[in-house]
Amino acid sequence: MRHLLSTRELSREQAIELLDIAEDMAAVQEREVKKLPTLRGKTVVNLFFEDSTRTRISFEAAAKRLSADVINFSAKGSSVSKGESLKDTAQTLQAMGADGVVIRHHASGAPYTLATSGWIDAGVVNAGDGTHEHPTQALLDAFTMRRRLHGAASRGRALDGVHVVIVGDVLHSRVARSNVWLLATLGAEVELVAPPTLVPVDTTTWPARVGYDLDAALSGTPDVVMMLRIQAERMHAAFFPNSREYARTWGLDDARFDALPPSTMVMHPGPMNRGLEIAARAADSPQSTVREQVANGVSVRMAALYLLMSGERGDA
Amino acid sequence: MSERFLITGATLPGGERADILLDGGIIAGVGSIADASGATVVDAAGLIALPGLVDLHTHLREPGYEQSETVLTGTQAAAAGGFTAVFAMANTFPVADTAGVVEQEASLGRTAGYATVQPIGAVTVGLKGEQLAELGAMARSRANVRVFSDDGFCVSDPLLMRRALEYVKAFDGVIAQHAQEPRLTEGAQMNEGALSGELGLTGWPAVAEESIIARDVLLAEHVGSRLHVCHVSTAGSVEVIRWAKARGIDVTAEVTPHHLLLTEDLIAGYDPRFKVNPPLRRAEDVEALRAALADGTIDIVATDHAPHPVEAKESEWQAAANGMVGLESALAVVHAAVVETGLMNWADVARVMSSAPARIGRLHGHGESVAVGAAPELTLYDPAAASEFDLDRLAGRSTNSPYLGRRLPGRVVATFHGGYPTFLDGAVRPLDEVARNAASALGVVHG
Ligand SMILES: [Zn+2]
C-alpha cells in the first residue's frame, strides 16, 4: 500500500489484511514492552490543518509504539493560516525527510492532492478530510465490530451479513462515508438514518439503504447502531428546527436504547453530545464500544503506518 | 499601401471552394481569383475559412490582475484561437463600471491590434449588486457598450434585475446574466449529485441556475427587454429557455466549449484544472446542451476564458480558483463536441461562433459572411490536424487549460483581423508588426 486515502479504494483482501495486522498490534499492546522497532529511523509527520487532539494523539501513540520519530505540525495559527500553501508546507516536509505524513485537513480531497501532486515522496495517511473520508476511523470501527463478534477468532474474517445502522448527519460526515464503503466491502448490510436534509441529495451509488425513521430501523434489531456526532450549529443553517426536535426524532434516547436487544453494539466516533444524539445510559452501557474504539484506534493506526512505511510499499 | 493577401483553395462554411482576396479594409474578392499580382499567397487547401470568431465572454483581467492576463496577452490568445473580437468582462480592478475604464480597455485593444476588444460594462457599481452602474454613460462612451454583466456574480436582487433590464432598452442594450442563486450555492464546489455526495464536496445544484433563468425570462417578458444568459450548464436550463423562446421572449443564451465536452467525472481526482463556475455537469447535461446548440435554443458558444496564475490552481480543490482558459482551444473543442458528432456543420459553427455573438453584442464589422465587401476578419482552420493539445498551443499568459494532454480533432492555422494576419502558420505574429498593421488599418478606416 502506497497511501491510505479512502476506504473506497480498499479491496476486501487489503481491508482484512490491515485488520489482521491490527490484531497483531493489539497483541503487542497487551505485552509489558509495548514498543516495536519496526519504524526505527523513520519520521512520521502529523500535519493537522484542523484541530483534533484525539486523532492526533492516537496517531502519535501509534507511530511511537513503532519506534518512529514523530513531528507534530499544527498548521493552525502557523504560517499556513497566513497564506502559505499546502504545496509550500509539503515541500518543507519533503526537505525534512518525512517518510510518512498523516494529514487532517478541512478541505475534502486535500490528502489526495498531497499524495498525487508530486510535491512529496512520503506515504500519506488521510486522518480526515473535510466531509469526504476518515478511513482509519472506519477501520477501527470495523475492527471493533469484528472483535466483539468473533473475539480471538477474528483473524481472516470479514463482516458478512452484519446489519449496521448509521444515524445522524450523513451529509457532513466523513466517518459515515468511510464506513459505508468499508463495511459494504466487508459484506455488511448498511442502513443510513437521518433527517432528509442531512443526507446527500443523491445516494443511488452508495452501497447502503437510506431511511428517515429511526424507530423503523431499530425494529429490525441491527447488530450495530452507530450514532454520529451532530453539530448544534446545523440548526442555524435550517437543517433541522432545534436540538430538542433532533434528539426526540433521531437521538438514541433511553426508550430506544432499552428496546434494543443486549447483543446490539452501540458505537460513536466521539466526541459525544450526551443527551443530544445519544443518551448517557446508552453511552455508558456494556453495549457501548466507545472506550474500545479509542484503544483499537491505536492498533489500527499502527497497522496502517506499518503497511505504508515498513518497506513493503508497493505502488498500489 | 497595406499588404494584400490571396488565400487560395479555402473551403467556405457552406462547403464550396474559393480563393479569397483581402485588400486592406475589405474582402475584395471571393471565387476563382487568378490575377492578384503583388498579393501574399496563403495556401489554404484543405482548410476551412470561417468569418473571424467573436467571443461574447472573455476575461482579459486588465486592469488589475495583470499576473493572469493583459489585454495584449489575452488578445494574442484570441488570435491563436481564431478570434478577431472579444467582449471583455467587467470584473477587473477597478471594475468596468464607468466610461473611463471601458474606454481604456477598448483603446488598449486597438493599440495592440490582435483583436477588437469590446468592453462589457458592469450592471452594478463594483459588481456589488446594490446600485446601478452608469450604464448610459458607458453606452454613450467611445467604447459604445451594449452588453452589461456582473459576471462572476449574479444580479440576484429581482428588483435591481428588473430595473437594469428596463433601463438598457434606452440604447438597445442587453443584460448578460450569470445565473446563480447565491443562497443555494453558498460554499458550492461542484455539481450537486451522486458524485458530490461521494467526494464530500458541497454541491452546486442545477436548480440554482434554472430558478434564476426562469425568473429572468419572466422579468424580460414583463418589461419587454432583451436578456442574455451566460454559460448555460444544465439540461433544465435548456428546457426553461426553450419554453421562453416558444413564448416569444427576447432571450439569447450561450454555452461554453467546456460544458459541451467535459463532465463532472473528471473531478474524481480533485484536479483543480477542472474547477470552473458554473461547474462541469453530468453527461446528460452535455447531451442536452449539444442538442440545444444544434436546434438554436442556445444561440452561441462563448468561451468564458478565465486565466489564472499557476499558484491559483496548485492547491487543494476547495482553495483553488474557478475558471479555465478557453480561447485557444474553443474551435477545436466545438469541432469535437458538435461537428464530429454530426450535430452541426461548419455554417452552423460560423453562426454560433461569429455572426450570432456579433449580433447579440451589437458589434459591427464582425460576424459578416465571407463575401465580397465584407470586413476582412477571417479564420483558417485545419479540420484534419488532430493532435494532442499542448502548451505550445496556448498563447495567453496563463496555462490553466483542462485540455492539455487531450487529443483534439483540428487546429487554427491562421487568423486575419482588419485585413492583416494576427496568427499565421500556427504562430502569433510579432508585436511590432501587428501594432503597425493595426495603426495603418485604422488609418484606412478613418482616412
Ligand atoms: Zn460567469
Side-chain angles (χ1 to χ4, degrees), chain A residues 131 166-174 176-177 180 192-203 206 210-212 228-243 245-247 249-251 276-277, chain B residues 192 197:
Chain A
T131 56
I166 301 176
V167 187
D169 184 358
V170 175
L171 179 65
H172 299 99
S173 176
R174 49 196 175 210
R177 281 174 183 73
V180 164
L192 303 170
V193 178
T197 47
L198 288 174
V199 185
V201 72
D202 184 350
T203 52
W206 294 29
V210 177
Y212 310 130
L228 301 171
R229 178 180 169 79
I230 185 77
Q231 297 192 318
E233 62 262 30
R234 301 290 178 215
M235 68 185 153
H236 302 304
F239 286 105
F240 54 89
N242 58 42
S243 49
E245 175 156 323
Y246 184 88
T249 320
W250 289 286
L276 181 49
E277 73 263 5
Chain B
E192 181 165 275

Side-chain angles (χ1 to χ4, degrees), chain A residues 49-116:
Chain A
F49 288 82
E50 198 180 66
D51 285 333
S52 175
T53 310
R54 308 160 57 96
T55 305
R56 184 181 55 72
I57 287 174
S58 182
F59 271 106
E60 187 171 350
K64 284 186 170 162
R65 286 178 194 175
L66 292 168
S67 303
D69 296 321
V70 179
I71 299 172
N72 286 315
F73 191 118
S74 170
K76 261 198 123 178
S78 73
S79 55
V80 175
S81 50
K82 298 188 193 83
E84 182 176 304
S85 67
L86 180 60
K87 180 183 179 180
D88 294 332
T89 307
Q91 287 174 339
T92 303
L93 302 185
Q94 174 75 357
M96 284 162 51
D99 299 290
V101 176
V102 175
I103 178 175
R104 161 70 67 105
H105 203 287
H106 49 83
S108 299
Y112 206 101
T113 303
L114 188 65
T116 57

